[in-house]
Amino acid sequence: MRLRLAVVAMSLMFGSAYALSLESEAESQESNAEVGSDLLNQMTHSHRELNYRAIVSYQVGDQLNSYRITHTVRDGKEFESLESLDGSHQDLVYHGHDINCVHPGPQLIRLFSGEEEQGFYRYYDLDVKGAARVAGREAVTLMIRPRDVYRLGYKLSLDKETGLLLRSDIVNQQGKVLERFQYVMLDLNIPADEPVVADAREVQHRDMKSDGAAIQALARRWRPNWIPAGFTLAQSENNDEAAMTYTDGLAVMSVFVEPLVNTEAGQTVIAEGGMRRGASVSYTVAFPDQGRFATVVGEVPMLTAKQVAKSLTWTVQ
């Protein structure tokens, strides 16, 4: 009898300890998510508002390029000068976008809110790691892991003081780094009245909007029949009838539809297949019956681009 009571008591004790452990873990995850959301929100503003000079490296596969960047904000406008340091004339892709990039921006920052249906945490796990040093500055590292096979992962190092993104690794499902952007040197001590560099370009941020995008999509004769859950149909100011852009707040992919060219020998044959460069992929599928071919381009796994491209359907008009 005493043995049975002892077993029951031990079970209750370990059960209570396990429950407390789960409760503590849940509270820790919630706190972690809150800190991560604050850091990501700070990141979205810091790169637009700070004056700085920097030397950055940009690595795609085995190819490494270095650049000098000067970023200045004057009267609410951004100016950026970009100079190659190794003779390469390749355009710098700044965390997945060129200098006049389209950002999901504040409109899609709600994806970090943790809402049950469309929340960021429905599709990614966010973990705030310990301190690190990048470009001689204290940084906080965020690990962003996808919860499905249709997205890539991210390792972001943010400046502890300003929230500026100092390093970005885009990784595949196996953890291999596909693309890396990193500050090697950063100088934030630029006087507010310092003249804008002569060859600087004004940076244009065309924020994406989802309002009305679905309505505009109805006017098209074609549409993807499958898109990964969590991706939102977006539109920009220069909306194109032959393209659709989707984003989940981190990844961006676009679907382009073009006519097949007719020659004297007949219709041009487009071979189905994909290409990869760093974190960016493209996948092309021909639709001869429609006289069109479609290409999906984006920072997503090849599997995602292929399934989206092959899912296109046309409406009869």
Side-chain angles (χ1 to χ4, degrees):
M1 182 67 178
R2 288 181 179 178
L3 179 60
R4 291 180 64 187
L5 288 173
V7 170
V8 170
M10 289 288 286
S11 299
L12 289 172
M13 181 178 69
F14 282 115
S16 299
Y18 181 64
L20 288 172
S21 174
L22 288 178
E23 184 178 348
S24 175
E25 183 179 349
E27 290 177 354
S28 175
Q29 289 178 345
E30 185 177 347
S31 174
N32 207 26
E34 202 171 301
V35 172
S37 296
D38 290 343
L39 288 169
L40 287 168
N41 191 37
Q42 187 179 8
M43 181 189 75
T44 63
H45 295 92
S46 61
H47 77 280
R48 297 189 183 191
E49 299 170 355
L50 295 173
N51 293 336
Y52 57 85
R53 296 188 192 90
I55 293 177
V56 301
S57 63
Y58 177 56
Q59 183 175 358
V60 177
D62 296 330
Q63 185 176 356
L64 179 66
N65 300 108
S66 299
Y67 301 84
R68 179 182 288 112
I69 293 178
T70 302
H71 183 269
T72 311
V73 181
R74 289 289 180 274
D75 300 322
K77 295 182 179 180
E78 290 180 71
F79 298 91
E80 194 158 88
S81 171
L82 180 66
E83 175 189 356
S84 173
L85 298 180
D86 51 15
S88 170
H89 296 289
Q90 175 187 345
D91 290 335
L92 172 66
V93 177
Y94 192 18
H95 187 46
H97 309 284
D98 63 25
I99 196 169
N100 288 316
C101 50
V102 176
H103 289 279
Q107 287 85 351
L108 291 177
I109 200 67
R110 67 178 183 277
L111 292 175
F112 299 112
S113 66
E115 295 174 5
E116 182 179 356
E117 292 300 321
Q118 294 295 330
F120 171 81
Y121 298 101
R122 186 179 176 90
Y123 309 106
Y124 293 95
D125 288 318
L126 174 60
D127 191 14
V128 181
K129 293 295 186 180
R133 286 189 68 83
V134 180
R137 296 184 64 84
E138 296 293 331
V140 178
T141 300
L142 304 183
M143 298 295 297
I144 302 176
R145 300 181 180 88
R147 291 190 170 189
D148 57 37
V149 297
Y150 304 117
R151 299 160 224 273
L152 299 174
Y154 302 81
K155 180 181 179 182
L156 310 179
S157 295
L158 279 59
D159 183 58
K160 191 173 182 180
E161 179 185 349
T162 65
L164 187 67
L165 180 62
L166 300 178
R167 173 172 166 168
S168 165
D169 290 356
I170 305 180
V171 300
N172 63 13
Q173 293 283 334
Q174 292 72 43
K176 179 183 177 181
V177 177
L178 302 174
E179 198 168 296
R180 173 174 292 158
F181 173 88
Q182 179 175 343
Y183 283 78
V184 179
M185 183 279 291
L186 176 63
D187 179 13
L188 293 168
N189 299 315
I190 299 181
D193 58 349
E194 182 169 312
V196 175
V197 178
D199 62 347
R201 298 168 54 188
E202 183 176 351
V203 182
Q204 303 293 329
H205 297 277
R206 298 184 296 275
D207 290 325
M208 291 182 179
K209 300 178 181 179
S210 58
D211 297 337
I215 296 175
Q216 289 193 7
L218 294 176
R220 294 182 173 88
R221 293 183 53 232
W222 59 271
R223 68 179 179 86
N225 209 30
W226 180 85
I227 292 291
F231 276 81
T232 303
L233 179 61
Q235 67 182 83
S236 61
E237 292 176 1
N238 56 345
N239 189 59
D240 188 347
E241 287 296 320
M244 287 184 179
T245 297
Y246 295 85
T247 180
D248 67 356
L250 280 180
V252 178
M253 65 177 173
S254 296
V255 186
F256 300 93
V257 172
E258 301 176 64
L260 289 169
V261 178
N262 291 314
T263 64
E264 293 181 359
Q267 201 174 66
T268 302
V269 176
I270 299 292
E272 178 179 333
M275 296 177 61
R276 171 183 296 282
R277 184 178 182 278
S280 299
V281 300
S282 67
Y283 198 91
T284 299
V285 177
F287 296 88
D289 293 345
Q290 304 296 333
R292 300 284 188 274
F293 69 95
T295 303
V296 175
V297 179
E299 291 175 354
V300 292
M302 186 67 75
L303 170 67
T304 306
K306 179 179 180 179
Q307 290 190 197
V308 172
K310 292 178 75 70
S311 77
L312 257 66
T313 58
W314 269 259
T315 58
V316 179
Q317 291 185 344

